Amino acid sequence: MPEGPVSDWEYFWYQIPYGAPGILTFLVGIFLSYFAFQKFRESKENRLFHANLAVTFVSFGFVGLVLSLRAWIQNVEQLVFWNDILYFFVPSLAPAAFYLVYHMTGKRSKLLLYYSYLCWLTCFLIYFGIIIGKGFETDVTVFPFGKYPKGSSFIRPWGIVAPIGYFLLIVPAFIKHYSQVRANYHPSLFHGVNLLFLLICSNAPSILGYKIYPGGFFLFIPMLLVAYGVFRSDFFDVNQLLFQKNGMFYFLFGLLSFVLIFISFGVSFGLSPTSYESSNWYPWGLPPVVSVFAAIFLSIMVAGANPSARLNQLCAFALILTGFYVMQSVPLKLNLSYVVQLRVSQMVFVPFAFAPSIMVRLVFEAVSQKNPKGLQVIDFLCVVAALLAPSPWLFVGYYEYPWSRVHHGGPVEVLVGFNGLLALVFILFTLFKHREIVNGASRWIIGSFVLSATLLLFALLPSHGFPLFPLSDFQFVPAAILGYAVLRHGALSLEGRTIQLSQRLANLGLVTIGIAGILYFPLIRDHYGVGESAFHLMMLVLPLILFNYLVVYIMSRPLAEELDISYFLLDLEKQKADEEREKALIAQDKAEEAMEESEKLLLNILPTKVAQELKLKGSVTPARFENVTVLFTDFKGFTRVAEGMEEHELVQELDACFTQFDEIILRNNLEKLKTIGDSYMCAGGLPVQNHTNAIDACLAALEIQSFMNQLKEIKTALNLPFWELRLGIHTGPVVAGVVGRFKFAYDIWGDTVNTASRMESGGESGKINVSSETYNLVKYFFVTEYRGKIYGKNKGELDMYFVHRLRPRYSQDPDGKAPNQLFRDLYARIHSGSKIRWKNQPE
């Protein structure tokens, strides 16, 4: 820092390296407190432990922020004001930390618990002092690393009680219960807690006036140890923390939000009209500005599309680091103090030093390969370069080129370049080795970063005296390639309702900020030229627009994810409903098919009218029918012929005959009733009464007789045994009904059945024997022969008649088997109930 007074703005830039670690401590503390709070919400056990852990992380984070402001703020009154406000979050670290140790030692040392209560009392004393405006005094101790205001009597007790408690209680408790701690917790937790207290205690020399850099700036290191130890001890996977819990997403954009706000404020307060006196800002300043905001915008889109995807987060991280690097090229194009340009570059190189490690991991993730063993070397070089980036060895001067000033690279920049070259070799070797399994989308991703790494390496040339425009300013080219891969090929899963909702909300903010920028433009045009005003406004508004996108993505993500889950569940339920509906339709079709089958089976067993009554009522009411014609058939010599046949041949022969009988009686309006051995029984005039059942039975009998005669001729020609058939028919009253509960059978009872059976048994082979009752009903249509009175078993003497054929006037064939049209006309009249008067008696 130069001798003499400097402005607050200059003071800030000179002091940046001292306060930067504190800002990192603050960000890490807020980041870890969020996950500790999430664990508190999710865990039903040890909730008090996780609550104190969250409080500890917040408090230590604010310690880093307070120390950074002490390094950066020159005005004492402002410094005291911000110390009073921010210190409100600091004191709780002591009681929370004592409770953590109490929990870690198995809650065996009650003194630790009671001492945490004492620390809470000192906290309330600090709060009271801050509220009444007596927190810190305006008397400060000035060090090269900042100004430290003295604490009032309200703060000093806390500063004394906490360190004493550490050495008198925590250290002995850890020694006494070391085996307990070692058995239940990861060693990093034990070392992290001790290092936290030691670094806090290391602030004491600066408070006492000794010019020793406070260790509190580096609290982020033990905080990471504590977090790692807690998560490992509590079986909390780090991969789950970073990706499944979106930890990497929130960490990246928490850091990025801070950077964007810093850029916007820096442009607003740090760029005066004299900054544009150099003509280098146009056109040389446009490529790096476009590259920076293109990389950041793409990182937001890519990471926001899928925060839990490792590939997305690595890609976003690489984009941010690339954007950070190009960011340091913008101040070099403006007429700014060299210390500002140097500090911006130093701050940028701290995170950018990790770019080689991130890019190698990204490529290996894209090709689904494990990280190479040599990656630890790159990681180590990244850490060394990051630690040395704020040192004087990053740059050792600068070159003046027509397009801008360029830093003269020092040993640290060479180390970063060498590490980048090593990473590029790893990437190219990986691509060549796994070129067959790299798909098109992965090629676009990897290709964009290979191009980006190549441009970054070429940027080393002008930093070592080669008059070549820094090609790294054109990072928007690989960024555009990546954007094409994302949007055109869907390489990074940029889809879904979540991204659509976030984009629409972000567009609302974009319109608002755009309108504000347009309104602000006339105000700055009075101080700048038109071109300078546009450039200034672009660097002022674009960070706010990107910050708006960030906030929208972060704030809308829980809602959007819930909507995505709801939509997914709705789609799932809809799919299930469609499947159930389809199953129901299939089941309905099957049920209808089964019903049709059962209907067919039922109709095969029962007459249609009877089946309908059975389905409707569950039973069938017996009914008496006064005019029913019963037909019986029986094979003569069946037993003799059957003895010479195989069983299956016998059944097959009977089935062929009875199947033909079924078709014949169906054509003639008769109902099959049953078969008994080789006997076949059917009837007409039921269950629907009619006036033609006797005629129907005789017509059916003639057809059956004709079929059996044809079968006899075939069998005789083949020299095979044959059956001859007797047929008997009688007409009279019967009672009909369904018998049985499980195997239904439609049957008839009455003397008419017995008489019909006697007609069959009293007949002759190949002849149709009918009773007088049937004869009187059919005698005008058929040629008959009176046989006289023949004895029937249990019936006495009965008049019997043979039916030979249809009368010639009613037959269309010589054999008298098929009726003609005259017969059909008369038949239709009788069927409709007409009474026919015959002029002559039959012969």
Side-chain angles (χ1 to χ4, degrees):
M1 187 175 296
E3 296 291 336
V6 293
S7 67
D8 292 340
W9 187 242
E10 291 177 314
Y11 181 86
F12 166 75
W13 284 107
Y14 277 106
Q15 294 293 105
I16 273 185
Y18 292 119
I23 292 298
L24 184 57
T25 295
F26 172 71
L27 293 175
V28 170
I30 298 301
F31 170 72
L32 294 178
S33 65
Y34 169 79
F35 288 100
F37 180 71
Q38 288 293 106
K39 195 65 177 175
F40 163 78
R41 293 178 56 187
E42 297 172 0
S43 177
K44 295 182 179 179
E45 299 179 356
N46 301 328
R47 300 191 70 185
L48 192 57
F49 172 78
H50 291 107
N52 278 274
L53 186 65
V55 171
T56 302
F57 285 144
V58 170
S59 300
F60 280 117
F62 272 91
V63 169
L65 183 58
V66 168
L67 294 177
S68 293
L69 294 182
R70 289 177 180 179
W72 291 345
I73 297 178
Q74 180 177 219
N75 186 281
V76 174
E77 292 181 357
Q78 291 182 7
L79 179 63
V80 171
F81 171 77
W82 285 108
N83 271 260
D84 284 342
I85 292 178
L86 298 177
Y87 228 76
F88 198 85
F89 299 95
V90 172
S92 56
L93 70 85
F98 274 96
Y99 182 84
L100 292 182
V101 178
Y102 167 69
H103 189 278
M104 290 173 60
T105 54
K107 300 182 179 180
R108 296 176 182 178
S109 179
K110 293 294 183 181
L111 278 176
L112 289 171
L113 180 62
Y114 299 145
Y115 205 82
S116 69
Y117 298 154
L118 178 61
C119 290
W120 276 117
L121 291 176
T122 61
C123 290
F124 293 133
L125 187 63
I126 292 176
Y127 298 149
F128 179 74
I130 291 174
I131 291 172
I132 65 175
K134 295 183 179 181
F136 287 91
E137 300 175 356
T138 55
D139 185 14
V140 299
T141 304
V142 180
F143 302 104
F145 46 81
K147 295 181 178 181
Y148 281 65
K150 293 182 179 179
S152 66
S153 57
F154 293 97
I155 293 179
R156 291 170 192 162
W158 178 84
I160 296 173
V161 169
I164 291 177
Y166 170 70
F167 289 105
L168 294 182
L169 294 177
I170 291 181
V171 173
F174 272 140
I175 294 174
K176 181 179 179 180
H177 303 292
Y178 180 74
S179 58
Q180 158 76 17
V181 176
R182 188 66 182 269
N184 294 283
Y185 298 96
H186 196 271
S188 61
L189 177 60
F190 169 77
H191 298 304
V193 170
N194 281 282
L195 189 56
L196 279 173
F197 277 102
L198 289 174
L199 290 180
I200 287 292
C201 293
S202 69
N203 290 347
S206 61
I207 296 175
L208 296 175
Y210 296 99
K211 296 183 179 181
I212 298 176
Y213 191 66
F217 279 110
F218 300 98
L219 286 171
F220 66 90
I221 297 175
M223 278 197 293
L224 291 174
L225 288 175
V226 171
Y228 181 74
V230 169
F231 296 150
R232 285 295 300 272
S233 303
D234 204 21
F235 306 102
F236 196 85
D237 189 9
V238 175
N239 184 64
Q240 183 183 20
L241 166 70
L242 294 178
F243 299 105
Q244 295 179 20
K245 295 291 184 179
N246 301 341
M248 180 68 78
F249 172 77
Y250 292 113
F251 175 74
L252 287 178
F253 293 123
L255 178 63
L256 190 55
S257 298
F258 176 81
V259 172
L260 290 172
I261 294 297
F262 180 81
I263 292 174
S264 187
F265 273 83
V267 171
S268 179
F269 296 106
L271 290 185
S272 64
T274 58
S275 302
Y276 299 98
E277 290 179 355
S278 172
S279 62
N280 291 331
W281 71 268
Y282 181 82
W284 312 113
L286 294 179
V289 170
V290 173
S291 295
V292 169
F293 294 120
I296 294 176
F297 176 75
L298 266 177
S299 69
I300 298 171
M301 299 290 288
V302 167
N306 192 353
S308 59
R310 184 182 178 88
L311 180 63
N312 285 58
Q313 300 314 307
L314 289 173
C315 182
F317 207 165
L319 281 168
I320 290 173
L321 295 180
T322 303
F324 278 5
Y325 176 81
V326 184
M327 192 183 300
Q328 59 98 27
S329 182
V330 178
L332 293 172
K333 307 295 189 298
L334 301 171
N335 185 27
L336 299 175
S337 169
Y338 181 67
V339 70
V340 175
Q341 298 171 338
L342 177 63
R343 291 293 186 253
V344 171
S345 298
Q346 286 175 323
M347 288 189 297
V348 161
F349 263 84
V350 172
F352 179 72
F354 293 95
S357 176
I358 296 299
M359 287 191 176
V360 172
R361 283 177 165 81
L362 169 66
V363 171
F364 275 79
E365 183 71 23
V367 297
S368 302
Q369 298 296 318
K370 293 182 179 180
N371 293 329
K373 295 180 180 179
L375 186 58
Q376 288 84 350
V377 176
I378 295 178
D379 292 341
F380 175 75
L381 295 178
C382 288
V383 173
V384 172
L387 293 175
L388 295 177
S391 72
W393 300 294
L394 179 63
F395 302 117
V396 293
Y398 59 88
Y399 294 100
E400 289 285 358
Y401 293 114
W403 53 84
S404 71
R405 179 180 292 167
V406 176
H407 295 296
H408 182 186
V412 178
E413 191 203 36
V414 174
L415 175 62
V416 173
F418 171 76
N419 204 19
L421 180 61
L422 188 62
L424 184 59
V425 171
F426 266 103
I427 292 172
L428 294 176
F429 177 75
T430 302
L431 290 178
F432 179 78
K433 183 178 179 181
H434 302 286
R435 60 186 182 279
E436 295 180 355
I437 64 172
V438 178
N439 57 31
S442 297
R443 287 193 182 95
W444 282 102
I445 297 176
I446 299 170
S448 67
F449 282 104
V450 169
L451 178 59
S452 175
T454 304
L455 295 178
L456 291 171
L457 288 175
F458 272 100
L460 292 173
L461 297 177
S463 67
H464 288 83
F466 295 91
L468 176 68
F469 186 84
L471 296 180
S472 58
D473 286 359
F474 297 96
Q475 286 292 334
F476 63 84
V477 176
I481 294 174
L482 179 62
Y484 175 79
V486 172
L487 299 175
R488 179 68 176 83
H489 293 276
L492 295 167
S493 306
L494 187 63
E495 58 185 359
R497 296 180 175 94
T498 295
I499 198 74
Q500 295 173 8
L501 173 65
S502 299
Q503 284 177 337
R504 290 172 183 174
L505 293 175
N507 290 338
L508 292 176
L510 175 64
V511 172
T512 303
I513 296 174
I515 294 173
I518 293 172
L519 296 176
Y520 183 64
F521 183 78
L523 300 178
I524 64 174
R525 193 176 58 184
D526 296 336
H527 303 285
Y528 306 91
V530 176
E532 290 85 350
S533 298
F535 188 79
H536 186 86
L537 191 63
M538 180 174 61
M539 291 195 296
L540 180 67
V541 173
L542 280 179
L544 295 178
I545 291 176
L546 294 175
F547 176 72
N548 164 72
Y549 263 85
L550 265 178
V551 172
V552 168
Y553 270 103
I554 294 173
M555 300 301 292
S556 66
R557 174 149 294 283
L559 174 62
E561 287 180 344
E562 289 181 9
L563 287 176
D564 269 355
I565 293 172
S566 300
Y567 281 125
F568 173 76
L569 293 176
L570 285 174
D571 291 341
L572 188 62
E573 290 299 324
K574 182 181 178 182
Q575 183 179 355
K576 289 182 179 179
D578 292 340
E579 291 177 357
E580 293 297 328
R581 189 181 300 110
E582 186 176 353
K583 290 180 180 178
L585 292 174
I586 293 174
Q588 183 179 353
D589 292 340
K590 290 183 177 179
E592 291 177 355
E593 291 176 2
M595 188 177 296
E596 291 176 1
E597 290 297 324
S598 63
E599 183 88 10
K600 291 179 181 178
L601 289 173
L602 195 61
L603 293 177
N604 283 336
I605 299 172
L606 304 175
T608 303
K609 182 180 179 181
V610 176
Q612 294 294 334
E613 183 181 355
L614 182 63
K615 286 194 297 181
L616 292 174
K617 298 180 179 180
S619 61
V620 177
T621 303
R624 179 180 175 83
F625 297 90
E626 297 298 334
N627 184 26
V628 172
T629 300
V630 180
L631 183 152
F632 272 100
T633 72
D634 187 66
F635 291 109
K636 180 182 178 183
F638 175 80
T639 303
R640 177 180 55 80
V641 176
E643 288 176 352
M645 301 176 66
E646 297 289 338
E647 291 84 350
H648 69 279
E649 293 178 356
L650 173 64
V651 174
Q652 190 174 8
E653 189 79 14
L654 272 177
D655 179 69
C657 292
F658 288 163
T659 298
Q660 193 66 32
F661 293 178
D662 290 343
E663 294 178 0
I664 291 171
I665 68 167
L666 184 63
R667 287 196 298 269
N668 288 280
N669 199 26
L670 301 178
E671 288 287 345
K672 177 182 178 181
L673 296 175
K674 56 186 173 182
T675 60
I676 306 171
D678 61 323
S679 297
Y680 186 94
M681 176 184 177
C682 61
L686 54 77
V688 179
Q689 300 184 43
N690 59 51
H691 303 284
T692 59
N693 53 82
I695 299 173
D696 295 333
C698 291
L699 287 173
L702 287 174
E703 279 195 58
I704 292 173
Q705 183 187 52
S706 176
F707 165 74
M708 292 304 298
N709 289 336
Q710 292 176 4
L711 189 62
K712 177 180 178 181
E713 291 177 3
I714 295 171
K715 294 281 188 179
T716 301
L718 296 174
N719 197 25
L720 294 174
F722 56 87
W723 292 326
E724 292 186 303
L725 190 70
R726 294 192 301 263
L727 295 98
I729 302 174
H730 175 62
T731 303
V734 299
V735 174
V738 176
V739 294
R741 293 185 60 188
F742 302 106
K743 293 185 177 181
F744 300 112
Y746 185 69
D747 207 351
I748 57 176
W749 302 271
D751 186 63
T752 299
V753 178
N754 296 329
T755 303
S757 178
R758 299 300 175 266
M759 292 299 109
E760 175 270 318
S761 60
E764 295 180 3
S765 298
K767 299 292 183 70
I768 303 170
N769 191 37
V770 302
S771 65
S772 59
E773 289 80 1
T774 303
Y775 165 77
N776 291 325
L777 294 172
V778 302
K779 61 186 178 181
Y780 294 102
F781 294 98
F782 297 92
V783 175
T784 60
E785 176 188 348
Y786 179 62
R787 298 179 61 196
K789 292 185 179 292
I790 299 175
Y791 176 78
K793 184 178 179 182
N794 298 327
K795 300 296 294 180
E797 299 292 331
L798 298 173
D799 291 321
M800 298 186 185
Y801 298 81
F802 283 139
V803 174
H804 295 298
R805 52 164 290 169
L806 282 167
R807 291 184 179 274
R809 64 179 304 197
Y810 299 121
S811 175
Q812 66 178 0
D813 64 309
D815 296 330
K817 306 296 182 182
N820 58 15
Q821 187 59 44
L822 177 63
F823 176 89
R824 292 191 184 92
D825 292 341
L826 291 173
Y827 179 89
R829 292 171 61 187
I830 296 172
H831 191 272
S832 63
S834 299
K835 297 290 186 180
I836 297 179
R837 291 179 175 273
W838 303 96
K839 294 181 179 180
N840 300 318
Q841 291 292 326
E843 298 175 358

